[in-house]
Amino acid sequence: MTTTTTPRPAPGSQAHTDGGWGQTSTSVVPVQTRSARMRSYDPAAFGEPTGREVDWKHTPLARIAPLLQDAPGDAGAVSIEVSGPLAAASLEIGEAPRGEVFEPEDLPAAIAWKRSAEALYLAVPDEAELDEPVVVTFPGAGAELLAHAHVVIEARPHSRATVVLRHTGAARFAQNVEIIVRPGASLEVVSVQQWDDDAVHAAAHQARVERDGTLRHTVVSFGGGLVRVNPSVELAGAGSQGELYGLAFADAPQHLESQVYLHHKGPHTRGDVLYKAALQGSGARTVWIGDVLIGPHAEGTDSYEANRNLVLTEGARADSIPNLEIETGAIEGAGHASATGRFDDEQLFYLQARGIREDEARRLVVLGFLTEIVQKIGIGSLQEELSSLIEAELAQGAGE
């Protein structure tokens, strides 16, 4: 008697059976679409990445390795400071609304869930309109220290608020951010990564937007050795809207990455995704993967995603991968675009021909390229700060 054993699929893959001429062969087919990825609260369910998985193939595993180990964090590695017009609370695992939206889809997120006994909870009351932003600061105490965190932000029905997440100092930091936008609410979340050069940060942001709600989500990455911020937004309710924006400026040898997922689930939803990055220095790298899914019940959807990258020097690299899935034909519009190019010498020549010095001309071109994202942030003081940071990055590149 012959016994045939079917191999168990590896984490992040699916079994696939092909039959023909009376024979059956079983192979492992890697999961390619964002919607099909496994999710689990158990770190052991994922296994350690090999670099062949679709969600890890562009990430330097050696650099992110500390966040792939299921180990307790170091005391005081990253503190949490909250300021602004909203009192903070905490949520234990199993205490609503923690876990209502968030379910880890990679190993660092599952470890952060398990290792965060208490989550920071920010709840905007019903119909409240906060005039000032709520600022949550995460200062890191040292690049050799390990930390985990889970944050829950809930905008209750018909409320309006802005929450800014700031990351400074250095640490090895695995972070989850869970965002819930209730019916008719409007929420802006801005995550600013201004780490020291030796920081390692992996963040999973998962959001659900309910009926007639609006979420504007912006990722801004300037600092850090390796920063990977992956937003996932589900437009669940009819008439909901999601605006997902990103800005990155990578120097050598920074690796700045975002894997963006926008799921149109409800009817008549609107989505706009735009990420821009500038890169300078040999070894500077950015990665952007954008996935948009228009589900079978998302009739009347209008969605567009784009990624633009400006390479300022030799040796820098930008990876850009847009993906679009459409499961209904009854939509208003959908599209995606991606472009990566070097500094435009024609623009430079045009400005120099009008008496503008070369260094000033370069500054104007880069500022004009990135300012589109800065201006989408609804906080004037933060817009000014980010413009200054771009200027500082350009000055640093000019001095090298």
Side-chain angles (χ1 to χ4, degrees):
M1 181 176 69
T2 302
T3 302
T4 302
T5 303
T6 301
R8 181 181 178 182
S13 62
Q14 296 175 328
H16 176 67
T17 302
D18 291 318
W21 300 101
Q23 296 182 346
T24 301
S25 64
T26 302
S27 60
V28 174
V29 179
V31 171
Q32 297 295 332
T33 60
R34 185 72 174 261
S35 58
R37 291 185 190 175
M38 182 186 71
R39 296 192 176 201
S40 175
Y41 296 103
D42 180 11
F46 290 95
E48 190 164 339
T50 65
R52 295 188 297 272
E53 302 84 356
V54 68
D55 54 333
W56 288 109
K57 64 191 300 182
H58 299 282
T59 307
L61 293 181
R63 297 175 68 179
I64 204 172
L67 302 184
L68 303 177
Q69 305 305 313
D70 186 4
D74 297 305
V78 173
S79 54
I80 302 178
E81 304 165 1
V82 181
S83 62
L86 196 63
S90 62
L91 295 172
E92 298 179 355
I93 294 178
E95 185 177 0
R98 179 177 179 177
E100 180 179 330
V101 170
F102 196 94
E103 189 174 4
E105 64 174 5
D106 64 22
L107 181 56
I111 294 172
W113 174 274
K114 173 184 174 181
R115 295 293 177 179
S116 302
E118 291 188 345
L120 175 72
Y121 179 40
L122 299 171
V124 187
D126 293 38
E127 300 184 0
E129 296 192 10
L130 305 187
D131 295 330
E132 299 178 10
V134 180
V135 180
V136 185
T137 305
F138 301 87
E144 74 285 356
L145 300 177
L146 177 65
H148 310 93
H150 190 95
V151 179
V152 181
I153 305 170
E154 181 184 14
R156 291 177 178 165
H158 305 288
S159 64
R160 294 182 179 274
T162 298
V163 177
V164 180
L165 309 176
R166 287 184 170 274
H167 307 87
T168 60
R172 300 169 175 179
F173 190 33
Q175 177 193 45
N176 299 332
V177 180
E178 183 170 2
I179 302 168
I180 309 168
V181 181
R182 301 297 187 189
S186 179
L187 179 66
E188 180 171 10
V189 176
V190 184
S191 182
V192 182
Q193 288 64 244
Q194 200 175 348
W195 295 104
D196 295 344
D197 290 342
D198 49 359
V200 177
H201 181 198
H205 292 210
Q206 293 186 15
R208 185 181 68 209
V209 186
E210 299 179 0
R211 185 181 183 90
D212 295 326
T214 300
L215 172 65
R216 175 177 291 181
H217 183 279
T218 306
V219 176
V220 179
S221 296
F222 282 91
L226 185 149
V227 175
R228 171 177 152 128
V229 182
N230 293 349
S232 172
V233 176
E234 179 186 280
L235 300 179
S240 57
Q241 300 183 56
E243 299 172 349
L244 282 65
Y245 303 128
L247 167 63
F249 201 123
D251 295 308
Q254 284 182 303
H255 178 102
L256 305 179
E257 178 175 344
S258 281
Q259 299 186 25
V260 184
Y261 180 38
L262 180 60
H263 181 187
H264 292 268
K265 193 172 183 179
H268 304 290
T269 54
R270 298 289 181 270
D272 183 30
V273 180
L274 178 61
Y275 273 60
K276 287 190 171 187
L279 304 88
Q280 65 182 7
S282 180
R285 186 178 181 189
T286 60
V287 174
W288 179 86
I289 302 174
D291 290 279
V292 173
L293 170 61
I294 300 176
H297 304 294
E299 299 90 351
T301 283
D302 190 4
S303 184
Y304 192 79
E305 67 167 347
N307 176 229
R308 305 278 189 251
N309 302 293
L310 182 60
V311 179
L312 303 177
T313 62
E314 296 291 336
R317 172 179 171 182
D319 291 309
S320 181
I321 306 171
N323 300 299
L324 176 62
E325 295 180 75
I326 304 175
E327 298 180 340
T328 175
I331 62 173
E332 288 192 12
H336 59 182
S338 170
T340 298
R342 298 190 179 278
F343 194 89
D344 193 333
D345 290 333
E346 289 187 6
Q347 286 182 303
L348 185 62
F349 176 80
Y350 177 87
L351 293 171
Q352 286 184 279
R354 280 148 182 80
I356 300 175
R357 299 190 321 271
E358 180 179 351
D359 58 343
E360 177 65 10
R362 288 181 178 275
R363 186 185 72 85
L364 291 174
V365 171
V366 177
L367 278 174
F369 174 72
L370 296 178
T371 296
E372 181 180 6
I373 301 298
V374 174
Q375 291 177 341
K376 291 180 180 296
I377 298 173
I379 309 169
S381 59
L382 184 54
Q383 289 181 359
E384 294 176 4
E385 178 186 344
L386 296 179
S387 295
S388 297
L389 285 173
I390 295 171
E391 297 265 15
E393 292 279 359
L394 290 170
Q396 176 182 338
E400 293 178 350

